[in-house]
């Protein structure tokens, strides 16, 4: 059905013959076994006349025919035929997700009658919020949480770093969330049936802690500012204190992620060398100790796989890992999923340790200065994990979304630019066999309100979003700022062509044609670049706070300024 713009694509969707006559003005009845304000508010955001009753989970027009309750948790059945609407579910989450499908249907320019039977293939479907670098304004952050729910994501892993309202002021950034903001974030997540999974780094990526003079002595080596020596006196106490703060602020979270990835210098400190233990066993022992702090609080610890469960980890060290952990396997290439995931999963399964696949909707991709995700690499990675999850019956999936390579790194573009890849991952978690080929058109409709676009491209056109977004701005009715940002970023990239030819001015300083070409390109590219930067500077205050906007603009301005100064030097020297 090419005129349906559902994301995620439902498991089953059948067209019906009668013309639909249901709209926002239709009176409806909302039933639930016990009153749930979230369901009431969701229904009233769709329909102007909602009557609330007690009964099985359903939303229907008066006198609509009843449907059999769905068999799956979080699942729903939806039928719209003529002026009758019936949506039923077996639980509150299922009714909520059915309303999200109904929301997308009500937004469509054509609303055909249909019958939908739908449920998630993966029960826990997590997006990722990386607050280590530049992140959106708070109101936009809350809006994104609500937006996640529309695409049926039900968990959010948040790597707070120094943005959590911690008890120790030294560990709070100037732009950290206030206690009131943090409470509102948690409330917004609950309102939208989203589970918050806090990530508290305890081993690596601790620059904001180990950069302080009082903790510097706990580094594994002095030149690795974010990596903790697990055997140095005070290291375990620091990890437990960080976790205690995070646990205090997330009393309702079932899971707490303890990080523990990329501790590259591990094993080099005098203490680790003197222990006589192999590097992998040192990592397992530390992870077990950190996990106990979470387990003692009645929660389940989650840990990255790379330091404890890589294919090169010894059987002896892996066997010592606490069986109550969940291991998050992060593999960000389609090839690495195919090569390493079967080995890691098989070894963990043999020990009875749960694991969760982790794709990346935005990652390094050997492009540290990227303005938006590399669509082909990201979607292929998501597809590879979806196939693996389908084959192994995965119970959870985390779709990571990195702001930069580390907290002091160059930003990977802005958060808004990763919606396309994030909601592609959301679809593949909900429906592991969804039609990937039609996703681009469905995304332009569901997310941008640009229905029925005639897009150029063959079977792989789903990779073309970042080429098309800015070009389709005239047709975009919703989330225009995202498309504007992508379009500006692409023009900035094209305006950098002079950087690839600048070296010729130094190689051929007496060649007039070379210098004329450089002068022409410098003028053209410089004008285009300055125009794009002015547009970016005008857009950023709507997306970021003042300091973040200045930092992001500098990250995009500075490289071009360096090349412009070099071009001026080369051309000026020749004039002299």
């Amino acid at each position: 059905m090419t005129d349906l713009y559902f994301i995620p694509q439902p498991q089953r969707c059948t067209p019906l013959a009668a013309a639909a006559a249901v709209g926002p003005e239709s009176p409806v009845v909302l039933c639930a076994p016990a009153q749930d304000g979230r369901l009431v508010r969701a229904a009233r955001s769709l329909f102007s006349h909602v009557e609330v009753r007690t009964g099985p989970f359903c939303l229907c027009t008066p006198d609509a025919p009843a449907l059999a309750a769905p068999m799956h948790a979080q699942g729903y059945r939806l039928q719209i035929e003529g002026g009758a609407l019936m949506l039923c579910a077996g639980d509150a989450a299922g009714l909520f997700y059915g309303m999200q499908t109904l929301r997308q249907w009500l937004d469509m320019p054509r609303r055909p009658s249909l019958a939908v039977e739908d449920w998630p293939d993966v029960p826990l479907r997590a997006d990722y919020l990386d607050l280590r670098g530049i992140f959106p304004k708070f109101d936009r952050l809350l809006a994104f949480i609500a937006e996640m729910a529309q695409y049926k994501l039900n968990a959010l892993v948040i790597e707070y770093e120094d943005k959590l309202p911690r008890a120790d002021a030294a560990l709070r950034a100037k732009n950290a969330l206030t206690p009131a903001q943090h409470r509102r974030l948690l409330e917004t997540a609950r309102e939208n049936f989203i589970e918050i999974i806090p990530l508290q780094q305890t081993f690596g990526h601790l620059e904001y802690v180990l950069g302080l003079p009082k903790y510097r002595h706990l580094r594994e080596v002095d030149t690795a500012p974010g990596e903790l020596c697990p055997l140095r006196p005070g290291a375990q106490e620091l990890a437990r204190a960080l976790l205690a703060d995070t646990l205090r602020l997330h009393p309702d979270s079932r899971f707490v992620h303890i990080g523990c990835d990329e501790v590259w210098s591990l094993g080099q400190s005098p203490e680790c060398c003197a222990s006589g233990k192999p590097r992998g066993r040192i990592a397992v022992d530390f992870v077990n100790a950190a996990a106990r702090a979470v387990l003692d609080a009645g929660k389940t610890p989650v840990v990255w796989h790379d330091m404890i469960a890589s294919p090169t980890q010894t059987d002896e060290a892996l066997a010592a890992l606490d069986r109550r952990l969940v291991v998050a396997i992060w593999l960000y290439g389609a090839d690495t999923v195919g090569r390493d995931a079967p080995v890691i999963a098989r070894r963990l399964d043999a020990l009875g340790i749960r694991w969760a696949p982790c794709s990346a909707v935005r990652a390094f991709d050997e492009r540290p200065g990227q303005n938006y995700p590399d669509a082909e690499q990201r979607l292929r990675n998501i597809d590879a994990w979806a196939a693996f999850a389908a084959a192994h019956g995965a119970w959870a999936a985390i779709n990571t979304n990195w702001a930069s390579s580390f907290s002091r790194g160059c930003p990977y573009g802005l958060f808004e630019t990763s919606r396309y890849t994030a909601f592609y991952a959301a679809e593949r978690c909900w429906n592991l066999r969804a039609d990937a080929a039609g996703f681009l058109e469905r995304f332009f409709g569901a997310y941008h309100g640009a229905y029925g676009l005639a897009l150029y491209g063959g079977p792989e056109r789903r990779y073309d979003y970042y080429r098309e977004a800015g070009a389709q701005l005239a047709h975009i009715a919703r989330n225009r700022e995202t498309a504007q940002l992508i379009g500006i970023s692409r023009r900035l990239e094209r305006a950098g062509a002079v950087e690839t030819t600048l070296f010729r001015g130094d190689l051929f300083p007496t060649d007039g044609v070379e210098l004329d070409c450089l002068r022409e390109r410098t003028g053209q590219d410089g004008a285009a670049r300055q125009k794009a930067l002015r547009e970016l500077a005008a857009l950023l205050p709507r997306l970021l706070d003042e300091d973040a906007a200045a930092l992001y603009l500098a990250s995009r301005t500075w490289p071009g300024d360096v090349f412009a100064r070099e071009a001026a030097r080369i051309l000026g020297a020749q004039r002299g």
Side-chain angles (χ1 to χ4, degrees):
M1 299 178 69
T2 56
D3 56 349
L4 291 180
Y5 294 84
F6 291 131
I7 298 176
Q9 190 175 57
Q11 302 283 356
R12 296 173 187 161
C13 186
T14 305
L16 301 176
V22 175
E25 70 288 345
S26 300
V28 296
V29 177
L30 172 69
C31 292
Q35 187 169 350
D36 188 329
R38 298 174 298 176
L39 296 177
V40 175
R41 287 184 287 274
R44 286 179 173 160
S45 72
L46 299 176
F47 296 98
S48 53
H49 305 288
V50 179
E51 180 184 349
V52 180
R53 298 178 186 171
T54 301
F57 289 107
C58 70
L59 179 71
C60 62
T61 51
D63 304 320
L67 297 177
M71 300 291 292
H72 301 83
Q74 303 182 53
Y76 63 93
R77 282 194 171 103
L78 170 65
Q79 184 165 314
I80 306 168
E81 189 169 14
L85 158 70
M86 171 56 78
L87 168 64
C88 69
D91 53 32
L95 188 59
F96 181 78
Y97 295 134
M99 282 193 266
Q100 304 316 309
T101 298
L102 189 53
R103 182 187 304 278
Q104 292 183 359
W105 182 85
L106 287 167
D107 281 341
M108 293 177 197
R110 292 185 63 252
R111 302 175 192 161
S113 290
L114 47 76
V116 173
E117 185 175 4
D118 203 11
W119 65 88
D121 285 329
V122 179
L124 192 150
R125 306 168 300 281
D127 206 286
Y128 201 94
L129 179 59
D130 181 2
L131 297 182
R132 295 176 303 164
I134 289 174
F135 59 93
K137 284 184 172 181
F138 184 66
D139 61 337
R140 297 183 70 88
L141 195 55
L142 298 182
F144 172 68
I145 292 174
E147 195 173 60
M148 284 174 56
Q150 294 178 26
Y151 298 92
K152 301 184 176 64
L153 290 159
N154 66 350
L156 179 62
V157 179
I158 306 181
E159 185 160 358
Y160 289 101
E161 199 181 52
D162 54 358
K163 310 310 184 301
L164 200 61
R166 300 182 181 279
D168 185 349
L171 301 179
R172 294 196 306 264
K174 183 177 72 170
N175 60 341
L177 300 172
T178 66
Q181 285 178 325
H182 185 252
R183 287 192 298 272
R184 190 174 173 200
L185 184 151
L186 298 181
E187 290 164 1
T188 301
R190 184 186 178 281
E191 177 75 9
N192 289 280
F193 287 79
I194 289 172
E195 179 173 1
I196 296 297
I197 302 175
L199 189 150
Q200 175 57 64
Q201 288 285 3
T202 55
F203 204 178
H205 295 289
L206 284 170
E207 289 86 358
Y208 76 103
V209 180
L210 301 181
L212 299 173
K214 66 183 291 188
Y215 296 120
R216 181 168 184 150
H217 68 286
L218 295 178
R219 298 179 185 183
E220 178 76 18
V221 295
D222 193 60
T223 53
E227 298 171 20
L228 185 74
C229 172
L231 299 183
R232 194 158 293 161
Q236 298 278 358
E237 291 77 7
L238 174 61
R240 284 196 296 270
L242 293 171
L243 284 169
D245 225 13
T246 302
L247 288 162
R248 173 181 61 84
L249 290 164
H250 297 86
D252 298 326
S253 292
R254 292 187 300 159
F255 300 91
V256 173
H257 201 313
I258 61 175
C260 301
D261 62 316
E262 299 185 323
V263 193
W264 306 129
S265 65
L266 180 64
Q268 298 180 37
S269 70
E271 292 84 352
C272 287
C273 291
S275 73
K277 294 180 180 180
R279 186 170 181 262
R281 182 54 189 265
I282 295 172
V284 166
D285 289 347
F286 178 83
V287 165
N288 285 343
R292 279 195 294 274
V294 176
L295 290 161
D296 289 346
K299 302 180 186 300
T300 300
V302 183
V303 63
W304 297 122
H305 87 278
D306 55 296
M307 299 302 299
I308 57 168
S310 69
T312 60
Q313 176 67 294
T314 66
D315 291 339
E316 179 185 11
L318 188 59
L321 190 64
D322 194 310
R323 304 295 199 272
R324 296 168 292 178
L325 279 159
V326 172
V327 176
I329 307 173
W330 62 277
L331 299 170
Y332 295 161
D335 56 338
T336 55
V337 172
R339 183 188 68 218
D340 293 344
V343 177
I344 299 169
R346 184 169 58 248
R347 296 179 76 195
L348 293 171
D349 285 341
L351 294 170
I353 297 173
R354 287 193 297 171
W355 53 271
C358 302
S359 71
V361 303
R362 182 171 55 174
F364 175 64
D365 287 334
E366 299 181 354
R367 296 171 56 228
Q370 64 187 258
N371 292 306
Y372 39 79
D374 183 316
E376 183 168 359
Q377 291 197 63
R378 295 302 94 233
L379 268 55
R380 287 188 183 279
N381 174 239
I382 294 163
D383 288 343
W385 270 125
F388 193 83
H392 291 78
W395 65 280
I398 301 172
N399 305 308
T400 62
N401 188 338
W402 301 105
S404 61
S405 57
F406 70 111
S407 59
R408 270 66 172 181
C410 181
Y412 291 163
L414 294 185
F415 187 61
E416 285 78 4
T417 65
S418 60
R419 295 293 198 275
Y420 182 72
T421 50
F423 296 147
Y424 183 88
E427 169 160 291
R428 298 310 303 273
C429 291
W430 180 272
N431 183 348
L432 292 169
R433 297 167 183 83
D435 172 28
F439 183 80
L440 179 62
E441 288 83 357
R442 286 189 285 115
F443 183 83
F444 267 114
Y447 186 72
H448 284 306
Y451 298 98
L453 290 181
L455 299 171
Y456 171 80
E460 301 305 313
R461 63 185 180 276
R462 68 184 185 277
Y463 303 139
D464 291 345
Y465 172 70
Y466 295 103
R467 180 173 66 84
E468 292 280 1
Q472 299 294 341
L473 197 58
H475 303 287
I476 287 174
R478 295 193 293 267
N479 299 301
R480 287 178 56 83
E481 289 168 336
T482 296
Q484 287 175 316
L485 181 60
I486 292 167
I488 292 168
S489 298
R490 283 185 60 81
R491 284 189 282 116
L492 273 175
E493 292 165 358
R494 291 196 296 272
V498 68
E499 299 167 11
T500 64
T501 57
L502 192 59
F503 73 98
R504 300 181 68 91
D506 266 345
L507 287 180
F508 308 107
T510 61
D511 189 319
V513 174
E514 290 282 357
L515 297 177
D516 286 344
C517 287
L518 177 60
R519 190 173 291 108
E520 178 187 37
R521 179 61 62 84
T522 300
Q524 291 175 347
D525 284 9
R529 177 172 165 269
Q530 290 304 319
K531 182 176 185 296
L533 286 173
R534 286 194 297 271
E535 293 177 17
L536 180 61
L539 179 61
L540 288 179
R542 304 206 294 271
L543 309 178
L544 303 170
D545 66 29
E546 186 177 355
D547 289 345
L551 179 61
Y552 185 75
L553 189 61
S555 74
R556 269 53 196 168
T557 304
W558 187 85
D561 287 348
V562 171
F563 283 108
R565 289 195 295 269
E566 187 66 5
R569 179 192 66 77
I570 291 170
L571 295 172
Q574 308 316 316
R575 286 197 299 272

